[in-house]
Amino acid sequence: QVQLLESGGGSVQAGGSLRLSCAASGYTYSLYCMGWFRQAPGKEREGVAIINSDHSTSYAESVKGRFSISRDNAKNTLYLQMNSLNPEDTAMYYCAADLRSFGKGTLLFSGCAFDYWGQGTQVTVSS
């Protein structure tokens, strides 16, 4: 059974930093594209960053230069380092995996098709 468990969210002032983690289990983690998405109240879920199995990365324009995605295949863990946070970054952040099932709820972002999701972790940035 595939499980994705996020942690590391919280409240921070503008200009601050947070590091999100996502522990994955139930599949061969190292083989698949992983990503972070976010969803603010009243808005659609949007892609933030992805990292492929070869560790190549891609970012949404709004977070380039501020966020950094990484993965530790030995620990089956995905990370998102977020720096220079601003109130517009406030959202629920979701870890996602592209396991190529293309089931209901699949979202496409930067060449990957994300079909498994974590429960999310809240990030709140105050001005």
Side-chain angles (χ1 to χ4, degrees):
Q1 180 181 359
V2 175
Q3 288 191 327
L4 301 172
L5 183 61
E6 303 98 333
S7 61
S11 296
V12 64
Q13 290 196 327
S17 298
L18 283 173
R19 188 193 196 202
L20 306 183
S21 298
C22 172
S25 61
Y27 68 103
T28 307
Y29 172 79
S30 62
L31 297 180
Y32 297 96
C33 179
M34 296 291 296
W36 289 98
F37 284 70
R38 65 186 181 186
Q39 188 168 18
K43 295 188 177 181
E44 292 189 353
R45 192 170 297 192
E46 63 175 0
V48 174
I50 67 104
I51 185 166
N52 287 294
S53 58
D54 64 359
H55 293 251
S56 60
T57 60
S58 181
Y59 296 90
E61 284 296 324
S62 59
V63 306
K64 275 184 180 178
R66 300 188 299 124
F67 290 13
S68 178
I69 188 171
S70 61
R71 65 193 298 166
D72 185 335
N73 289 340
K75 296 181 178 180
N76 285 6
T77 302
L78 179 73
Y79 302 100
L80 185 68
Q81 178 65 44
M82 305 186 295
N83 299 327
S84 301
L85 286 161
N86 58 61
E88 291 68 39
D89 295 315
T90 295
M92 185 73 77
Y93 282 72
Y94 296 91
C95 171
D98 171 4
L99 299 188
R100 298 286 152 169
S101 71
F102 299 101
K104 184 179 179 181
T106 295
L107 290 182
L108 304 179
F109 179 62
S110 201
C112 298
F114 295 97
D115 44 9
Y116 283 85
W117 300 86
Q119 294 299 306
T121 185
Q122 178 67 38
V123 172
T124 303
V125 185
S126 57
S127 58

